[in-house]
Amino acid sequence: MDMFEKLKILADSAKYDVACTSSGVNRDNPSDGIGNAKACGICHSFSADGRCISLLKILMTNACMYNCSYCYNRFSNDIPRATFTPKELAELTINFYRRNYIEGLFLSSGVIKSPNYTTELMIAALKILREDYKFYGYIHAKAIPGTDNDLIQALGHLCDRMSVNIELPSSESLIALAPDKSKNSILAPMGFIKDTLTENKHALVKYKKTPQFVPAGQSTQMIIGASPETDYSIIKLSEGLYNKYKLKRVFYSAYIPVVRGSALLPSIETKPPLLRENRLYQADWLMRVYGFESSEILDEKSPMLNPFIDPKCNWAVNHPEFFPVDINTADYQILLRVPGIGILSARKIVAARKWGKLDFMHLKKLGVVLKRAQYFILCSGKRAEGIKINESKVISSLLSKKALENYYGFKNGVQIGMFD
Amino acid sequence: MKQIDICYKYDGSFYGMLCCVFESFEKKEMPIGIFDRGGSLFLVKNIKTDDIKAERVLKGVQDKMGIIGVEYVRLAYLASIKDKEIAIIHFIKEGLNKGKKFIEEIRTGFGPIKKMVAGSINNIFLAKIQKGIDLLLLEKQRFIQFVRFSEVYNRALVSIIEPEHQVLPLLADHFVQRFPNEQFLIYDKTHCLGLIYTNKEVRIERIEDYQMPDLSNEEKEYQELWKMFYDTIAIKERKNEKLRMGFMPKKYWENLTEMQ
């Protein structure tokens, strides 16, 4: 099989993995090799779906021995199979990197022969890159559930970020759809990576020469819409993962049907729930950056994110007792809760009010979206002129006309086919 | 400074531009225009480039505004700003009066808030400079992403770009640090400049015209592999043209391997 065909098969099989970020680590090149890494991450291209292409996202092999029913690469699926040799993969990575096509490598794999054997192949490829080519660019590698700890550790010393895919947001769904994986087999390597990371950090403080272990931390991803979990249980799970396993990111991947006629999965005509995925990312962002807790965003009674309003606005209109906040005195964390004020504008407000009292005109200049924010703020004790506050008025300012009808429909329990 | 109906003409270099600043300050006059190519309907005064004068201007800027002031002047020179030389004279004049705080003020758009909102003639020039520098830095970032090398001349890397601003001096560090053992040329077709890195030394040179040499079969093969990867990695159920264009504007496509 020639390179062209192999790459096509193994890129096609890797494309459903969502994480492609190259961020989280700075590494200089001591001038004896190729490449470096920038903590901000660099996107080198954008595919037709608008997603960032930062890394050569590829599988070591798609000849997988597992049969997870949601997965394109399950062994019962009739698709062409291919496997890279470690040398082929390293060479391709370097040649793409030299041409500035990519920021590094995202190496995942189907399970061939055994988890250990698969991981050994991946380690061999990364060794050629790091040792023979002296490659200092970014590498993200998947930890395959079921791999021995010493191999995971060896892999972790060669890459910048590792991830174990949680796949489905509950153990019931895992049993139903991924019979070869279990909650424990997924969480075990995640826990091991976390513990090794902590140890490594301590060791690095003591001994400068300690080899680094996944300096950009670990992440995970889960598939949304293949199984019946609510948004509430999903964001609670994420919150738990952030707290317990110190994950850098949880990625959400709208399920794209790859199986015809399965009783367990959405039908092949189902559109991927992109809006739902987007709302989950927003909720995730609120937890990671804005200091929200999952229980503030959703609860048992209303367990689904309203698709017609973003979760931050939704929280604001449901918590009138929190507002209005005074721009000239409120803390940064409080400012962040105001719809229309983001991280950047909140920071600017804090910096700018040192110079004098801010009024509504200043806020506009600072990039605050007044159309939204005006209902929730005071400037030196005063409301914006001519503002009348009642719930429907506030909500209608936050939404388009069409979204408004749907918003009330959703709130009153009439779901409009969004998650069917 | 009095407004005069005379144009300055200089050689287009950074130091040349600084000498125009020098002339304007020395004669206490504000020319109606400053240009480096072509003619003018107005009377033209030729400004000779004199390193000593240029460095005196830089020293003055550094003393009053700090090193970041010098950086601003340099970046403003690289940016494509309409009447940029005049704007730079205004910038320096204002900065010499106000000192170090001045940069912080125009960078954040803050400082004496009232003045910013009220606006004055100078603020228009300052806003132009800040905007131009922002766009320049954005474009630099874009080319860190979108430069595409082809391997030619037996292992040298060559890329052709068409930037709006003079980004080459800003790209040098990034690519040298990333590829310390390569030899490369990034050719800026808009400004006819080449960033050349060979034998561990980097320089920028004027190159009137440059064409990409014929590609080897191996090079063509890698380009095909990359294009195929690019097409394959997209998920067709998620196609989103608007999103792609927002991140990767069409004006860059011409020189992107994967968009050919």
Side-chain angles (χ1 to χ4, degrees):
Chain A
M1 191 183 285
D2 71 358
M3 199 56 194
F4 194 83
E5 227 173 307
K6 260 192 191 180
L7 179 62
K8 193 173 167 67
I9 291 169
L10 292 168
D12 196 44
S13 292
K15 72 182 173 194
Y16 296 106
D17 234 300
V18 272
C20 191
T21 54
S22 55
S23 53
V25 64
N26 270 318
R27 192 187 308 103
D28 290 340
N29 184 326
S31 280
D32 65 346
I34 177 168
N36 55 11
K38 302 269 176 193
C40 57
I42 297 172
C43 293
H44 283 271
S45 192
F46 294 87
S47 50
D49 50 27
R51 298 192 305 165
C52 153
I53 300 177
S54 179
L55 306 170
L56 170 60
K57 190 158 55 179
I58 199 86
L59 297 188
M60 194 79 222
T61 179
N62 69 339
C64 191
M65 57 191 260
Y66 290 167
N67 205 28
C68 308
S69 38
Y70 53 84
C71 182
Y72 182 67
N73 300 311
R74 68 193 179 282
F75 75 71
S76 62
N77 199 16
D78 184 21
I79 51 167
R81 306 286 171 169
T83 304
F84 276 123
T85 65
K87 188 161 168 282
E88 282 171 341
L89 185 68
E91 216 165 272
L92 181 70
T93 307
I94 290 293
N95 272 295
F96 274 14
Y97 193 87
R98 285 182 73 220
R99 288 165 175 80
N100 208 39
Y101 297 164
I102 52 170
E103 201 53 22
L105 175 66
F106 180 116
L107 184 57
S108 180
S109 187
V111 181
I112 186 167
K113 286 189 192 162
S114 71
N116 278 353
Y117 180 81
T118 312
T119 306
E120 276 164 5
L121 277 182
M122 293 165 75
I123 290 173
L126 300 195
K127 270 204 169 145
I128 299 175
L129 276 173
R130 292 290 197 219
E131 288 165 16
D132 299 354
Y133 285 105
K134 296 212 175 300
F135 176 66
Y136 294 96
Y138 195 90
I139 298 179
H140 179 151
K142 284 268 170 230
I144 311 278
T147 305
D148 290 346
N149 283 347
D150 54 334
L151 289 175
I152 298 229
Q153 180 150 12
L155 188 65
H157 284 303
L158 293 163
C159 66
D160 296 292
R161 174 169 284 183
M162 259 214 266
S163 56
V164 191
N165 283 358
I166 199 124
E167 310 288 11
L168 295 164
S170 76
S171 45
E172 293 78 25
S173 297
L174 274 176
I175 294 168
L177 298 174
D180 303 304
K181 294 178 182 167
S182 69
K183 190 178 145 202
N184 279 343
S185 75
I186 289 166
L187 293 182
M190 211 181 256
F192 176 74
I193 295 168
K194 187 209 129 201
D195 293 340
T196 315
L197 253 171
T198 320
E199 271 169 43
N200 186 249
K201 268 191 195 134
H202 290 308
L204 277 169
V205 177
K206 273 197 229 154
Y207 317 104
K208 253 199 159 159
K209 286 227 165 113
T210 312
Q212 284 207 320
F213 180 82
V214 283
Q218 66 169 327
S219 63
T220 191
Q221 74 160 3
M222 56 180 103
I223 299 164
I224 301 308
S227 50
E229 290 78 13
T230 61
D231 292 343
Y232 179 54
S233 63
I234 291 170
I235 62 169
K236 261 186 78 131
L237 173 63
S238 300
E239 189 176 47
L241 291 169
Y242 284 129
N243 291 338
K244 192 153 176 226
Y245 293 98
K246 305 277 171 258
L247 295 192
K248 281 281 189 295
R249 288 287 302 270
V250 175
F251 293 94
Y252 308 91
S253 160
Y255 177 66
I256 294 156
V258 288
V259 195
R260 203 168 273 285
S262 160
L264 296 167
L265 285 164
S267 76
I268 196 97
E269 292 80 25
T270 313
K271 288 224 169 78
L274 296 179
L275 184 54
R276 184 179 175 201
E277 178 195 280
N278 180 38
R279 293 292 181 226
L280 280 167
Y281 273 115
Q282 288 175 327
D284 184 88
W285 186 250
L286 288 185
M287 295 194 294
R288 277 189 305 127
V289 185
Y290 282 72
F292 279 74
E293 281 173 24
S294 63
S295 56
E296 289 181 284
I297 301 169
L298 290 171
D299 54 45
E300 299 281 357
K301 275 208 320 250
S302 47
M304 296 305 273
L305 291 163
N306 190 324
F308 304 104
I309 186 169
D310 74 74
K312 186 174 156 185
C313 285
N314 195 42
W315 180 85
V317 296
N318 286 308
H319 291 82
E321 73 284 358
F322 191 84
F323 298 103
V325 301
D326 196 311
I327 290 297
N328 283 305
T329 54
D331 285 348
Y332 173 73
Q333 285 297 338
I334 307 263
L335 290 174
L336 282 182
R337 297 246 163 177
V338 179
I341 297 183
I343 303 275
L344 208 61
S345 44
R347 268 194 216 143
K348 280 190 183 169
I349 288 170
V350 174
R353 65 189 181 190
K354 281 188 280 191
W355 294 87
K357 290 254 184 276
L358 300 176
D359 62 31
F360 286 93
M361 190 148 62
H362 297 135
L363 291 184
K364 201 161 196 174
K365 282 201 166 286
L366 287 172
V368 172
V369 187
L370 272 188
K371 194 178 151 245
R372 290 165 172 239
Q374 59 184 352
Y375 297 96
F376 304 98
I377 55 173
L378 302 173
C379 283
S380 308
K382 285 202 196 82
R383 289 231 180 236
E385 244 168 85
I387 285 290
K388 290 212 179 61
I389 307 216
N390 57 57
E391 195 197 338
S392 70
K393 210 160 169 138
V394 174
I395 290 169
S396 61
S397 80
L398 299 172
L399 298 172
S400 71
K401 237 189 186 151
K402 180 132 192 289
L404 198 62
E405 287 168 28
N406 292 333
Y407 168 81
Y408 283 113
F410 183 87
K411 214 182 165 189
N412 301 329
V414 196
Q415 293 198 24
I416 316 178
M418 194 42 84
F419 298 142
D420 292 350
Chain B
M1 262 183 205
K2 75 171 188 297
Q3 191 70 43
I4 51 161
D5 286 344
I6 291 179
C7 275
Y8 290 177
K9 185 170 183 179
Y10 74 115
D11 62 3
S13 70
F14 181 52
Y15 271 22
M17 185 200 70
L18 293 173
C19 290
C20 295
V21 177
F22 189 94
E23 179 75 13
S24 156
F25 274 72
E26 193 185 49
K27 300 280 160 62
K28 296 194 168 55
E29 61 187 27
M30 183 64 79
I32 193 142
I34 301 178
F35 61 94
D36 60 340
R37 263 176 277 190
S40 166
L41 292 172
F42 293 93
L43 210 55
V44 172
K45 195 197 265 187
N46 276 307
I47 306 295
K48 266 208 345 230
T49 300
D50 176 340
D51 290 0
I52 295 170
K53 285 181 182 171
E55 272 156 26
R56 269 180 64 190
V57 174
L58 282 184
K59 187 168 179 308
V61 170
Q62 179 160 355
D63 287 349
K64 283 282 162 61
M65 288 186 256
I67 196 84
I68 187 167
V70 177
E71 184 66 6
Y72 254 67
V73 173
R74 192 175 77 97
L75 291 175
Y77 164 75
L78 296 175
S80 291
I81 300 169
K82 196 166 172 280
D83 297 325
K84 111 186 137 187
E85 296 85 355
I86 301 280
I88 289 174
I89 293 179
H90 281 286
F91 169 86
I92 293 179
K93 193 174 135 217
E94 193 94 347
L96 293 182
N97 282 332
K98 288 187 166 172
K100 288 195 170 153
K101 270 195 185 153
F102 170 63
I103 301 281
E104 183 63 17
E105 276 176 39
I106 63 166
R107 210 165 57 79
T108 57
F110 262 85
I113 297 169
K114 280 178 199 124
K115 202 160 192 185
M116 207 54 212
V117 176
S120 68
I121 178 77
N122 279 348
N123 275 341
I124 295 172
F125 289 112
L126 300 185
K128 246 162 78 169
I129 289 212
Q130 186 59 49
K131 181 121 191 270
I133 289 178
D134 287 348
L135 289 174
L136 166 77
L137 295 177
L138 176 68
E139 194 171 49
K140 166 202 166 186
Q141 211 46 48
R142 286 262 158 83
F143 281 108
I144 283 177
Q145 301 173 276
F146 300 146
V147 157
R148 294 289 178 264
F149 287 112
S150 302
E151 190 186 87
V152 295
Y153 316 126
N154 192 23
R155 290 193 60 76
L157 299 170
V158 173
S159 169
I160 295 178
I161 59 174
E162 291 172 76
E164 201 174 311
H165 309 271
Q166 288 189 47
V167 289
L168 286 186
L170 304 180
L171 294 178
D173 279 356
H174 175 83
F175 286 104
V176 168
Q177 284 162 12
R178 180 154 285 205
F179 302 118
N181 300 315
E182 304 280 354
Q183 318 218 31
F184 61 79
L185 160 70
I186 302 175
Y187 181 64
D188 172 348
K189 205 166 151 185
T190 319
H191 306 94
C192 298
L193 293 168
L195 174 72
I196 301 165
Y197 179 70
T198 64
N199 302 322
K200 304 237 166 196
E201 266 170 44
V202 66
R203 62 182 193 276
I204 290 174
E205 237 174 55
R206 190 156 185 91
I207 305 173
E208 282 314 324
D209 186 35
Y210 181 83
Q211 304 283 340
M212 185 70 80
D214 289 338
L215 301 177
S216 69
N217 283 337
E218 193 193 328
E219 177 55 32
K220 282 185 198 153
E221 217 166 280
Y222 275 114
Q223 298 197 358
E224 287 308 313
L225 281 171
W226 170 240
K227 274 187 237 177
M228 187 269 295
F229 176 80
Y230 177 83
D231 293 335
T232 307
I233 209 72
I235 295 179
K236 60 178 192 306
E237 291 89 343
R238 304 182 63 122
K239 193 169 157 55
N240 191 339
E241 198 53 59
K242 232 172 114 187
L243 194 60
R244 167 161 75 176
M245 294 269 248
F247 288 126
M248 195 164 76
K250 222 166 186 166
K251 63 178 173 183
Y252 299 105
W253 290 14
E254 204 184 315
N255 293 307
L256 281 171
T257 315
E258 62 270 33
M259 304 311 284
Q260 302 316 307

